Amino acid sequence: MIDDEVIRPYRIDIPGDELADLRERLARTRWAPEPAGGDKGYGVPLARVRELAEHWRDRYDWRAQEARLNAYPQFTTTIDGANVHFLHVRSPEPDALPLVLSHGWPGSVAEYLDILDPLSDPRRHGLDPAIAFDLVVPSLPGFGFSGPTPDTGWGPRRIARAWAVLMERLGYRRYGAAGNDWGSFISPELGRVAPQAVAGVHVTQAWFPPPDDDPRWPERLSPQERAALHAFQRYVDEEASYGAVQGRQPQTLAHALADSPVGLLGWNAQAMHEHGLDTDTLLTHVTIHWLTGTAGSAIRIYAEAEREPPPARPMAVPIGVAQFPGDLASIRALAERHYTDIVAWNRYDRGGHYAAHDAPDLLVADIRGLFAALRHRM
């Protein structure tokens, strides 16, 4: 048995026959008929999935994406019985702050490729080298190169506990945490799990439901906040079908996602295809889920999150929130019930849910700005 404390070097090297198998499966796709009018309001249209599948089969270059990921040092280790894969990008700056970056579903570590260099080596990008980071970018347990988890229970809180172990194992005693999507829930949980170690938290979403102990609370919302609440509820009611399925019976769906690449593509694309991702980036996330056999295990995070009890107390670590117009807006009054020390709340005029990809300069500046402001507390 491999010692749980061992950190093992890792390099992505997908066998050629697995890539050939993927192309053959794509070529044998049995397409679902679409009735007249079925391309609107019923999910991702057939034409869009077919377009993506044809690009995936004929033009997408996995080896180029593999090489891009392999340009960064990667490792695996075992924490709480699960394999954890991570990129570890050390800064050339001697006083760099360690920062753990957490992605979400249906993403992967590839989400952060556009911001790794400016965050870790700001001098080379014309930025102030006094704000630099040693980056730790894990694949969530059950996702990507971490592989499927051996047991259930891997919700945001358990993942946060694993991150605390990982950062300690790497020798980091004081560090920051940042995340998007599920990473925006895992990172604050890390602040609860290890408040003495976490210097600050940065998130791109702070979504919370209205309190059930104050029925008149919505009356105190500003018009902008009321619009944000309605937009969020509309999204849940009309577009977030994946969350309902994955939060209740993920294993039922897992069989289909594990067996059909186009099924996986259609399912994952519903959460990505209108979020500003170019085709190759979208396909890189889907390809990672397919090649690692984690399409079914990754979706379980929704069920695991629903099964975790709510936090016993608000998070007291300083936190900054960056919001982008292509994403659902967060409501500060709700966030303040969960975070007691919001030190930054910034809105931008471009970018979306995947800001690390479509507005990397803004996200980098916001992360750097938060931790620059927190230096006097470290």
Side-chain angles (χ1 to χ4, degrees):
M1 178 179 291
I2 298 174
D3 187 341
D4 276 359
E5 299 291 324
V6 172
I7 295 175
R8 304 171 288 277
Y10 183 84
R11 183 175 177 82
I12 304 167
D13 186 15
I14 301 298
D17 59 355
E18 293 189 23
L19 299 177
D21 175 73
L22 172 57
R23 285 191 295 272
E24 290 170 6
R25 287 171 181 261
L26 290 169
R28 295 196 309 269
T29 299
R30 186 171 67 174
W31 295 100
E34 184 175 81
D39 59 337
K40 294 180 175 63
Y42 289 84
V44 185
L46 171 62
R48 177 57 173 156
V49 179
R50 188 185 286 272
E51 175 190 21
L52 288 169
E54 289 175 354
H55 187 97
W56 199 9
R57 184 190 66 213
D58 300 330
R59 294 181 294 282
Y60 176 75
D61 185 355
W62 164 253
R63 292 303 186 198
Q65 303 302 321
E66 185 179 73
R68 193 178 179 205
L69 286 161
N70 280 334
Y72 298 98
Q74 297 172 66
F75 304 88
T76 63
T77 191
T78 305
I79 302 175
D80 194 12
N83 185 62
V84 174
H85 159 268
F86 61 98
L87 280 64
H88 192 189
V89 185
R90 294 183 183 272
S91 174
E93 303 300 332
D95 297 323
L97 175 71
L99 181 69
V100 56
L101 287 167
S102 300
H103 64 83
W105 181 90
S108 67
V109 292
E111 175 176 341
Y112 292 115
L113 287 175
D114 292 332
I115 67 172
L116 297 181
D117 290 343
L119 285 177
S120 63
D121 193 359
R123 189 187 303 268
R124 192 159 63 90
H125 291 263
L127 302 172
D128 181 2
I131 307 297
F133 302 92
D134 278 352
L135 300 174
V136 179
V137 191
S139 297
L140 304 189
F143 286 66
F145 301 103
S146 286
T149 49
D151 57 353
T152 59
W154 284 97
R157 190 164 304 137
R158 187 176 178 186
I159 293 172
R161 290 198 296 266
W163 282 189
V165 172
L166 175 62
M167 296 304 277
E168 182 177 4
R169 194 171 291 180
L170 292 172
Y172 295 134
R173 298 293 179 264
R174 188 74 167 157
Y175 51 86
N180 178 54
D181 195 88
W182 279 110
S184 284
F185 295 89
I186 294 166
S187 300
E189 284 297 327
L190 183 53
R192 290 189 179 94
V193 168
Q196 301 306 311
V198 178
V201 173
H202 185 279
V203 299
T204 44
Q205 296 90 28
W207 299 333
F208 299 99
D212 55 14
D213 59 354
D214 184 2
R216 301 194 64 180
W217 178 86
E219 298 174 9
R220 292 190 288 275
L221 292 177
S222 69
Q224 183 183 42
E225 290 172 329
R226 193 171 293 114
L229 182 62
H230 290 328
F232 186 86
Q233 191 58 54
R234 184 169 60 251
Y235 176 77
V236 170
D237 293 342
E238 299 177 7
E239 299 182 43
S241 59
Y242 58 85
V245 174
Q246 294 172 181
R248 290 163 179 79
Q249 294 186 324
Q251 193 61 25
T252 302
L253 174 64
H255 307 296
L257 301 185
D259 187 60
S260 169
V262 166
L264 171 63
L265 176 61
W267 188 259
N268 285 22
Q270 70 176 308
M272 293 190 291
H273 80 115
E274 292 183 352
H275 283 295
L277 294 179
D278 62 83
T279 298
D280 279 355
T281 299
L282 185 156
L283 288 173
T284 294
H285 292 306
V286 176
T287 304
I288 288 172
H289 283 257
W290 177 262
L291 294 175
T292 58
T294 55
S297 57
I299 64 175
R300 286 205 303 266
I301 191 170
Y302 285 76
E304 306 299 5
E306 289 197 8
R307 288 158 172 75
E308 284 186 342
R313 61 189 183 283
M315 201 243 341
V317 170
I319 188 170
V321 180
Q323 297 189 83
F324 298 88
D327 205 0
L328 292 169
S330 301
I331 299 173
R332 181 159 185 162
L334 286 175
E336 288 173 345
R337 295 172 63 95
H338 298 265
Y339 308 139
T340 62
D341 192 7
I342 298 176
V343 297
W345 187 276
N346 298 321
R347 297 180 184 274
Y348 293 97
D349 60 1
R350 58 183 170 87
H353 187 70
Y354 295 98
H357 177 71
D358 61 8
D361 57 326
L362 297 181
L363 182 60
V364 166
D366 204 88
I367 293 173
R368 285 167 51 84
L370 172 68
F371 287 99
L374 294 178
R375 275 190 296 189
H376 68 282
R377 301 198 195 187
M378 296 180 191

